Amino acid sequence: MNRRKKIVTKFNQKDKRANAKLHKSNKPAYVSKAERERLALLAENKQSDTSTDEITQ
């Protein structure tokens, strides 16, 4: 019984891993705190550049 149980659980684990690969999570990728800060600075600089362009025209 133990040998059969080990074999069955091994195949169940394999099926579970294969199924997990098919169904990807909708969770967004993790972005570090430093990366978020850098992106915010880039966005801020971009907004200030566009506002100065509008003033000069």
Side-chain angles (χ1 to χ4, degrees):
M1 185 68 184
N2 283 340
R3 185 186 312 161
R4 182 177 176 188
K5 184 178 178 183
K6 285 182 183 181
I7 293 169
V8 169
T9 56
K10 189 174 184 179
F11 282 117
N12 285 342
Q13 288 171 350
K14 188 175 180 181
D15 288 341
K16 189 174 180 181
R17 282 193 302 266
N19 195 26
K21 284 187 178 184
L22 291 175
H23 302 288
K24 296 287 183 181
S25 174
N26 290 333
K27 189 171 136 179
Y30 176 75
V31 179
S32 69
K33 190 174 182 179
E35 185 68 18
R36 285 194 302 263
E37 190 174 319
R38 187 181 70 79
L39 291 173
L41 286 174
L42 286 174
E44 187 178 305
N45 289 340
K46 197 173 209 179
Q47 284 181 346
S48 65
D49 290 343
T50 57
S51 64
T52 56
D53 289 342
E54 292 172 358
I55 294 171
T56 57
Q57 290 180 356

